Amino acid sequence: MEEWQQLLVTGINHASQLPGEWLVAREGVDQGDVEEVFPIRINSYYKSLISDPDGPIGRQVIPDPEEVMDFDSPADPLGEEEDSPVPAIVHRYPDRVLFLVTNQCPIYCRYCTRKRMIGTPEGVVPRKEVERGIAYLREHAEVRDVVLSGGDPLMLKDNYLDYILTELRAIPHLEILRIGSRVPSSLPQRVTPELCAILKKHHPLFMNLHFNHPDEITPEASKACNLLADAGIPLGCQTVLMKGVNDQTEILKRLFQKLLTIRVKPYYLYQADLTRGANHFRTPVATGLRIMRELQGFTSGMAIPHFVIDAPGGGGKVPVLPDDYLVSMEDGDVVLKNYEGRVYTYPDVAGEDVRGVGQAETPPGSGVCPNGGSGDSRGER
Ligand SMILES: *Cc1c(COP(=O)(O)O)cnc(C)c1O
Ligand code: SF4
């Protein structure tokens, strides 16, 4: 057994294995009740990062009775099942798809937007479904970008992952492949030289990692990221904004800055979804906007991700920005407010009708992030 497999086996896989000081019950509900709905996995490595069960690392993985107390939210908040032409594929955007190749993860995050399927017997992705997914991609020439996700694709055995990537690479219209993975932040021992040798064969391959707190950037995680970067894989990070975990500017600034030092570029900061069993992590959208404002200009642009809300019901990711950078756009003058709150005027060039910029009528696919007047991103879907 490899080291990473050992760390999974020796970790916490049942509520009965939780240390006494991590036990909580509320209104007669305990973590054993939670486990019946949402599986538990805290591998030994990630467990070793937890000093306080109520701290930012503990909260991400220790089951909370709150999870089974919110019945009002949808199990599939992003409407992924409606956009699923075959079981393992979510095809929502014109040129790229999600390919869910497994429902296993190195840890089971309590805030997961796919907790309806993660680690459950019903959520398993059989090889037949993976093959159907590959066949779908072969037939859909409009797809040029495939995001392998799940679950965590790096939980697959080396040779199975190699098989999937090889099949995808043989499809001429697939220009880039991507892997979304929590492994480097929560089970970095899985990133072995053998794995990197496999990944390297399938370039251009990108990876988006998932770090939520600077305490996840350990020497082990740094080593894993360096191995991946040395294999030529551009690394991004998708972070979820969560109450009691990382909803402070200083924490996120430190996270994003430290990510750059391990060659990971912050990509998305997600507003937490409306997921059943995960609502206790949600923060007001205004918190995310304020944090973005407190980052922009105060640290490297490289360290700043896009803040996005994945629109409930399948609207996709919508970028949102604080609404006052663009003060006005009138009579040939673009009035801007910088990060210090100072106002500047940029004399514009004529030739484009500015009426409608930032309005709901912005045509789909215009590619413009309308950070204008009204200041939101209505229209961009
Ligand atoms: C996030 C996501 C993608 C990838 O989106 P990018 O903005 O290109 O990273 C593709 N399909 C679905 C359904 C998604 O949720
Ligand atoms: S690793 Fe990702 S998919 Fe798996 S439980 Fe965590 S958030 Fe969900």
Side-chain angles (χ1 to χ4, degrees):
M1 201 183 277
E2 290 190 60
E3 185 190 5
W4 64 275
Q5 292 167 317
Q6 202 92 43
L7 290 165
L8 285 166
V9 174
T10 57
I12 295 172
N13 293 292
H14 293 289
S16 58
Q17 298 166 317
L18 291 165
E21 63 275 20
W22 292 6
L23 295 177
V24 272
R26 250 190 301 280
E27 297 171 34
V29 177
D30 67 19
Q31 288 142 312
D33 301 314
V34 175
E35 174 180 28
E36 288 178 23
V37 189
F38 303 119
I40 299 169
R41 177 175 281 174
I42 310 172
N43 72 61
S44 297
Y45 165 78
Y46 203 76
K47 178 169 179 257
S48 75
L49 305 184
I50 302 173
S51 47
D52 169 6
D54 247 340
I57 307 299
R59 287 179 67 95
Q60 294 186 60
V61 287
I62 300 172
D64 186 321
E66 297 266 359
E67 293 175 45
V68 290
M69 295 180 174
D70 83 41
F71 303 104
D72 298 339
S73 301
D76 176 18
L78 308 180
E80 295 189 321
E81 281 158 24
E82 279 151 53
D83 279 340
S84 181
V86 296
I89 297 272
V90 182
H91 193 170
R92 165 168 307 151
Y93 293 110
D95 67 341
R96 56 208 189 280
V97 303
L98 284 185
F99 189 6
L100 309 179
V101 293
T102 175
N103 81 330
Q104 295 294 303
C105 297
I107 50 179
Y108 292 146
C109 311
R110 309 325 296 175
Y111 56 86
C112 181
T113 198
R114 296 203 191 104
K115 64 194 291 183
R116 67 184 185 279
M117 57 176 279
I118 296 302
T120 65
E122 312 82 61
V124 168
V125 185
R127 188 172 175 125
K128 238 185 20 226
E129 284 185 4
V130 169
E131 283 165 6
R132 270 181 81 190
I134 294 169
Y136 176 88
L137 292 167
R138 219 178 265 128
E139 290 155 17
H140 286 262
E142 74 277 20
V143 179
R144 41 162 291 285
D145 173 3
V146 176
V147 184
L148 295 189
S149 181
D152 195 316
L154 296 192
M155 295 301 284
L156 300 178
K157 295 225 171 75
D158 285 0
N159 55 11
Y160 186 38
L161 185 61
D162 193 18
Y163 155 79
I164 296 173
L165 291 169
T166 304
E167 290 290 305
L168 296 177
R169 260 291 154 247
I171 302 176
H173 55 263
L174 295 183
E175 295 176 3
I176 64 169
L177 304 178
R178 296 196 244 176
I179 295 177
S181 179
R182 183 72 151 116
V183 155
S185 61
S186 65
L187 187 59
Q189 295 80 1
R190 168 67 183 105
V191 180
T192 58
E194 293 75 27
L195 175 69
C196 292
I198 288 171
L199 297 174
K200 214 179 149 151
K201 293 192 298 178
H202 304 287
H203 277 311
L205 176 79
F206 292 69
M207 281 180 64
N208 281 319
L209 314 181
H210 179 166
F211 285 83
N212 293 321
H213 193 278
D215 290 355
E216 292 171 336
I217 304 181
T218 61
E220 291 90 342
S222 307
K223 185 175 161 214
C225 292
N226 276 317
L227 279 172
L228 293 167
D230 283 346
I233 304 168
L235 303 174
C237 182
Q238 315 196 95
T239 298
V240 182
L241 181 59
M242 285 178 278
K243 187 159 82 186
V245 173
N246 58 10
D247 56 343
Q248 291 173 37
T249 305
E250 282 314 307
I251 292 174
L252 285 179
K253 191 196 277 180
R254 201 148 37 88
L255 171 65
F256 298 150
Q257 290 172 339
K258 280 182 85 173
L259 283 170
L260 291 179
T261 70
I262 59 168
R263 297 193 272 172
V264 179
K265 164 81 185 81
Y267 177 45
Y268 281 142
L269 175 66
Y270 288 98
Q271 171 69 16
D273 296 321
L274 211 67
T275 311
R276 183 180 304 157
N279 272 289
H280 52 294
F281 286 106
R282 295 204 298 144
T283 53
V285 172
T287 300
L289 290 172
R290 174 178 51 76
I291 291 173
M292 290 307 290
R293 193 204 312 268
E294 290 169 352
L295 292 173
Q296 182 69 51
F298 293 94
T299 189
S300 324
M302 289 288 292
I304 299 177
H306 303 282
F307 178 45
V308 295
I309 304 180
D310 221 326
K317 298 175 185 71
V318 180
V320 282
L321 275 171
D323 66 3
D324 53 357
Y325 290 124
L326 185 55
V327 178
S328 68
M329 225 169 138
E330 279 166 5
D331 306 327
D333 278 339
V334 178
V335 180
L336 304 163
K337 193 187 272 182
N338 81 351
Y339 71 103
E340 301 161 305
R342 298 187 191 200
V343 175
Y344 297 85
T345 300
Y346 174 86
D348 205 0
V349 179
E352 176 92 23
D353 187 354
V354 300
R355 283 172 307 165
V357 174
Q359 303 300 308
E361 291 76 29
T362 305
S366 66
V368 178
C369 175
N371 174 30
S374 66
D376 61 18
S377 298
R378 292 169 302 166
E380 170 125 330
R381 299 225 131 187

